[in-house]
Amino acid sequence: MSSGVNTRELILEILLQIEEEGEHSHIAIRNALSKYQFLPKQERSFITRVCEGTLEYRIYIDYVIDSFSKVSVNKMKPQIREILRSAVYQLKFMDSVPDSAVCNEAVKLAQRRGFYNLKPFVNGVLRTIAREIGDLELPSREENEVRYLSVKYSMPEYLVEKWKAAYGVKTTEKILEDFLTERPITVRCRTHKASLREIVTSLKSQGVTVEQAPYLPYALKISDYNHILTLETFLQGKILVQDVSSMLVAEAASPKKGDHIIDMCAAPGGKSIHAADKMGDYGNVDARDVSQYKADLIKENIHRTGVINVEARVQDATVYDPDSEQAADIVIADVPCSGYGVIGKKPEIKYRATPQKQEEIVMLQRMILDKAAKYVKPDGTLIFSTCTIAREENEENVLWFLKNYPYRLESLDPYIPEELHCKSTKLGYLQLLPGIHKTDGFFIARFRRK
């Protein structure tokens, strides 16, 4: 490789970190690319694409390997397993790399990692797959629909079953399909700092492809740039990376000038800064999170954007803070969740999902909602949100909350774009579904304290 870095070895390191050490994919990729900042754009995008793709299509890839290998994927040594997985991803999904090169590089990599005796195995399996993958059929849909959908869309059967029960097969398939589509980064333009036109012009002058994002006029999709830190508008605090679904939280909160807002799980600070922007320089946002690391992420964004009415601090949302009792006009509880709504961006989430984790996360959410309920002034507003599509964490938590606390739901319709209005938004909550809506999966409910 021209840069002196072996990109395939780097890919292997990243995949092992995600798979064996439980690291988040976006963090493992980002850390590797920051370490090798000198890599040309082409190599950076090759590394990102192979890592993300191998992870995204893992169930399908394992099905392919198991169809052609005498040793099942689960019984392989971790390094060999990841070498084969990333090679199969390239064979199936990347026309730009010749099959022979994929096979040769995988064999060389196995040798370099000390598996000299497994070279013939790696070579044999990959050359067979390269020849015959076109004829491989998926499991029969008639015999086992859940297994078919699981392999086709690389989604664990547990989640396919769960969503099929909640949303029906047609909607579930749309969700699964959407998770595998390309996602440009979405940014919120801070139009009080620069006009939308100025921001778009600046981005385009740096070679960025810019598209209007759905639902909100100040949201843009951006692609074709090397690193966000090279963009002037980002460095000047005129844009913030944020999904449209998360921008809807500040819309739903609809703060007035002078409000005191508590954002309980605020890192990295996008919602806090958005709420502050909506108030001009009036009022204040108390942006909290559980660790110093998270508070520092918020501070970094406060510093870059120059916003003056947001303060970041460390405060565990599950621990009661007596000073906040009935102190806030608005409380934002964007609680930790299973994250199923953002599987398209963080594919490892799907492989770590279990029924037990689901129960634990609901208990955690209720502990936070219990504290949030106490911080809202009488007649104040509580916004509850998650980035998941699990009923237990969303609708069922809403019912539990209404039963146990002096709150009522309040219609979202006055605050959100008309094309999102539906039966539930009139009642006070919105479930966004990937493939049905043009956003991540996300849930928002608006409560008023009695």
Side-chain angles (χ1 to χ4, degrees):
M1 292 284 170
S2 53
S3 57
V5 173
N6 186 298
T7 44
R8 285 182 173 80
E9 190 141 23
L10 198 50
I11 288 165
L12 177 60
E13 290 294 344
I14 294 169
L15 291 173
L16 286 168
Q17 227 183 351
I18 297 163
E19 180 73 355
E20 302 298 308
E21 295 166 36
E23 183 58 277
H24 292 298
S25 59
H26 63 293
I27 293 175
I29 294 168
R30 188 180 66 207
N31 290 349
L33 293 181
S34 318
K35 189 173 165 188
Y36 299 103
Q37 274 180 350
F38 56 83
L39 285 176
K41 186 174 172 180
Q42 210 177 345
E43 283 183 36
R44 295 169 75 87
S45 51
F46 178 74
I47 291 166
T48 307
R49 172 144 182 220
V50 176
C51 289
E52 287 177 351
T54 303
L55 204 56
E56 237 172 8
Y57 285 93
R58 190 166 91 201
I59 291 174
Y60 171 76
I61 288 169
D62 287 359
Y63 173 76
V64 172
I65 296 171
D66 284 342
S67 302
F68 294 106
S69 164
K70 288 190 179 69
V71 183
S72 83
V73 171
N74 298 334
K75 296 210 165 85
M76 291 176 185
K77 291 184 162 53
Q79 301 209 29
I80 294 297
R81 182 165 55 221
E82 296 308 329
I83 288 171
L84 287 176
R85 280 174 172 167
S86 58
V88 171
Y89 175 75
Q90 293 169 64
L91 290 173
K92 172 72 183 169
F93 297 103
M94 295 182 74
D95 300 336
S96 58
V97 191
D99 291 355
S100 56
V102 174
C103 299
N104 293 340
E105 291 294 338
V107 171
K108 280 190 215 156
L109 190 50
Q111 179 175 346
R112 213 172 17 256
R113 299 304 275 225
F115 297 102
Y116 195 82
N117 57 334
L118 290 178
K119 277 168 57 180
F121 170 72
V122 171
N123 190 42
V125 170
L126 288 179
R127 291 200 185 275
T128 308
I129 291 173
R131 269 198 318 275
E132 298 178 27
I133 193 168
D135 303 326
L136 180 66
E137 289 187 4
L138 291 171
S140 153
R141 185 167 195 156
E142 286 63 46
E143 281 169 34
N144 186 338
E145 186 162 47
V146 170
R147 167 116 171 101
Y148 164 82
L149 291 171
S150 166
V151 172
K152 180 173 183 182
Y153 297 106
S154 280
M155 187 63 66
E157 292 185 21
Y158 160 63
L159 291 177
V160 177
E161 288 275 17
K162 189 181 173 63
W163 299 334
K164 194 178 152 188
Y167 300 112
V169 108
K170 222 164 116 181
T171 299
T172 299
E173 191 157 8
K174 281 189 174 149
I175 292 170
L176 297 176
E177 209 173 339
D178 188 74
F179 281 146
L180 294 173
T181 54
E182 193 58 34
R183 303 188 132 57
I185 294 284
T186 316
V187 294
R188 176 173 73 81
C189 299
R190 301 178 71 225
T191 47
H192 61 292
K193 287 202 73 166
S195 72
L196 196 60
R197 174 181 275 175
E198 285 167 345
I199 292 170
V200 170
T201 305
S202 168
L203 288 166
K204 286 184 170 171
S205 74
Q206 288 192 269
V208 180
T209 301
V210 183
E211 276 177 88
Q212 180 61 51
Y215 306 129
L216 297 169
Y218 52 76
L220 298 174
K221 292 193 221 175
I222 61 170
S223 50
D224 299 325
Y225 59 92
N226 201 1
H227 202 296
I228 193 97
L229 291 173
T230 58
L231 302 182
E232 279 165 25
T233 47
F234 181 80
L235 294 172
Q236 294 160 354
K238 292 172 185 169
I239 60 172
L240 267 171
V241 175
Q242 197 177 358
D243 191 70
V244 171
S245 54
S246 137
M247 297 178 206
L248 290 167
V249 170
E251 294 294 341
S254 188
K256 304 180 302 298
K257 285 186 174 176
D259 277 350
H260 173 54
I261 300 175
I262 296 175
D263 188 351
M264 294 178 70
C265 312
K271 297 177 190 71
S272 295
I273 293 168
H274 192 184
D277 285 348
K278 282 179 121 22
M279 296 192 290
D281 291 336
Y282 305 93
N284 69 305
V285 183
D286 178 356
R288 315 167 162 190
D289 220 309
V290 68
S291 64
Q292 192 57 54
Y293 169 72
K294 290 196 161 187
D296 287 343
L297 287 178
I298 304 168
K299 284 179 181 160
E300 203 176 288
N301 274 320
I302 292 172
H303 177 69
R304 188 173 53 77
T305 52
V307 66
I308 59 172
N309 49 344
V310 181
E311 290 217 20
R313 64 179 170 121
V314 178
Q315 168 77 43
D316 184 338
T318 63
V319 177
Y320 176 61
D321 169 28
D323 295 341
S324 300
E325 175 83 41
Q326 297 198 11
D329 299 286
I330 298 171
V331 169
I332 297 174
D334 181 56
V335 297
C337 68
S338 56
Y340 299 153
V342 293
I343 283 173
K345 290 175 179 156
K346 300 174 183 175
E348 70 281 2
I349 287 172
K350 59 187 175 185
Y351 307 119
R352 297 175 188 174
T354 64
Q356 187 198 347
K357 279 187 183 166
Q358 182 74 77
E359 280 169 36
E360 288 166 7
I361 206 94
V362 171
M363 296 311 295
L364 174 67
Q365 291 166 342
R366 292 183 178 184
M367 281 169 76
I368 294 172
L369 283 170
D370 172 69
K371 310 303 175 287
K374 299 181 170 90
Y375 300 159
V376 181
K377 289 176 181 172
D379 203 39
T381 303
L382 169 63
I383 300 291
F384 161 58
S385 62
T386 73
C387 57
T388 191
I389 59 177
R391 290 254 160 104
E392 301 91 322
E393 300 172 62
N394 298 339
E395 292 92 336
E396 288 174 29
N397 264 339
V398 166
L399 292 173
W400 167 83
F401 188 75
L402 290 170
K403 207 166 76 185
N404 292 292
Y405 298 89
Y407 281 81
R408 60 186 168 83
L409 276 173
E410 194 170 67
S411 172
L412 284 169
D413 288 355
Y415 311 106
I416 62 171
E418 204 173 320
E419 53 186 312
L420 291 170
H421 291 189
C422 60
K423 231 183 343 204
S424 77
T425 58
K426 216 177 252 34
L427 297 173
Y429 66 91
L430 169 63
Q431 175 69 72
L432 294 163
L433 295 172
I436 304 297
H437 301 95
K438 303 174 204 128
T439 63
D440 289 339
F442 205 85
F443 181 84
I444 303 174
R446 180 183 162 100
F447 297 100
R448 168 82 58 190
R449 186 166 189 163
K450 291 177 183 169

